[in-house]
Amino acid sequence: MATATQGIDQRGEELRRGGIVIRTYDLWKTYIMGDQEIHAVSGVDIEISRGEYVAIMGPSGSGKSTLMNLIGCLDSPSKGEYYLNGNLVSAMNDDDLARIRNKEIGFIFQTFNLLPRASALHNVELPLIYAGLPSHEREQRARAALTAVDLEKRMHHKPNELSGGQRQRVAVARALVNNPSILLADEPTGALDTATGNEIMALFARLHQQGNTIVLVTHEHDIAMHAHRIIHIRDGKVERDERVSVPLK
């Protein structure tokens, strides 16, 4: 047992030293439906380095959402290994997964997921409350995150006093506030009009230039083309993995 643990620790340390934030080995997610087995993710091997901007793209039913849930530690694989920032998260229990989600991953969802009666500032503070930070440090970091997304003048407004684009910026600030290993964005422009969506994608480009690792999950080709690399998923497998020569701006 000690030898197996040492091997896991050694592999995790090697991945950290190599700047590999996400590494999956033969990752599977299988659902039992009656007498059938549905393989939503089928033996996926992917590697994403610190500072990369990657889109995971595929049509509805391709397995990309299941893969996102595994990468985001929202679900556990049926088989295989997943290392996030050198931590073997595929072997963790629910409490450990919750801690890793709060510390290592900044989530950005299509529907914003903001508390309607709380100000933008308080919405951004939420992950820091869960992390147990004192109130003065929480406010300082939340203000800095809102300033980073150009919302310093709207931080005391509630979501219903903000436009769709501003609400998504609050969600981005909340994702940034813990200085996570990755920003994981699930269809982040899906609830926005084209012009506002382009503004959010320009913000992502700026965050990437500042050194953030971004994983974008989308079914839209024009949104995926903002990334520097696209992993195409079909039938639960990696169909192809390509570099984007000239990302959209």
Side-chain angles (χ1 to χ4, degrees), residues 1-10 88 91:
M1 180 65 71
T3 303
T5 303
Q6 288 169 358
I8 290 169
D9 291 344
Q10 183 179 357
L88 182 60

Side-chain angles (χ1 to χ4, degrees), residues 180-216:
S181 296
I182 62 168
L183 292 175
L184 182 56
D186 179 22
E187 303 282 4
T189 63
L192 305 173
D193 62 65
T194 302
T196 308
N198 288 338
E199 289 177 14
I200 294 300
M201 297 313 298
L203 173 60
F204 280 2
R206 195 175 82 203
L207 294 173
H208 174 246
Q209 289 167 2
Q210 292 169 358
N212 289 282
T213 306
I214 300 175
V215 180
L216 171 71

Side-chain angles (χ1 to χ4, degrees), residues 131-146:
L133 269 65
S135 59
H136 67 278
E137 186 175 349
R138 291 200 308 263
E139 181 172 342
Q140 184 179 38
R141 285 174 60 170
R143 284 177 177 273
L146 284 163

Side-chain angles (χ1 to χ4, degrees), residues 38-198:
I38 308 297
H39 302 297
V41 170
S42 308
V44 167
D45 289 276
I46 58 173
E47 182 175 288
I48 297 175
S49 299
R50 184 174 296 110
E52 278 200 276
Y53 186 175
V54 180
I56 296 175
M57 185 183 170
S60 178
S62 62
K64 69 179 185 302
S65 295
T66 303
L67 181 58
M68 184 207 73
N69 287 339
L70 294 173
I71 289 173
C73 302
L74 296 167
D75 201 355
S76 298
S78 304
K79 189 171 67 171
E81 294 182 344
Y82 169 34
Y83 285 84
L84 173 60
N85 200 25
N87 301 295
L88 182 60
V89 296
S90 52
M92 289 183 178
N93 61 33
D94 288 346
D95 288 343
D96 290 335
L97 285 174
R99 189 164 56 250
I100 284 288
R101 280 197 301 270
N102 193 52
K103 177 184 176 186
E104 301 283 359
I105 305 166
F107 291 97
I108 303 158
F109 297 104
Q110 175 178 337
T111 52
F112 317 138
N113 289 3
L114 302 177
L115 295 178
R117 297 185 179 182
S119 68
L121 185 66
H122 185 64
N123 268 287
V124 174
E125 281 187 61
L126 280 178
L128 304 177
I129 293 173
Y130 299 141
L133 269 65
S135 59
H136 67 278
E137 186 175 349
R138 291 200 308 263
E139 181 172 342
Q140 184 179 38
R141 285 174 60 170
R143 284 177 177 273
L146 284 163
T147 299
V149 299
D150 303 322
L151 272 187
E152 63 271 23
K153 294 181 180 178
R154 310 284 287 179
M155 62 178 62
H156 296 295
H157 289 68
K158 294 178 181 177
N160 65 356
E161 299 169 329
L162 301 172
S163 68
Q166 288 170 336
R167 275 177 273 173
Q168 190 60 292
R169 286 174 184 269
V170 174
V172 172
R174 182 184 56 196
L176 287 169
V177 77
N178 256 343
N179 299 316
S181 296
I182 62 168
L183 292 175
L184 182 56
D186 179 22
E187 303 282 4
T189 63
L192 305 173
D193 62 65
T194 302
T196 308
N198 288 338

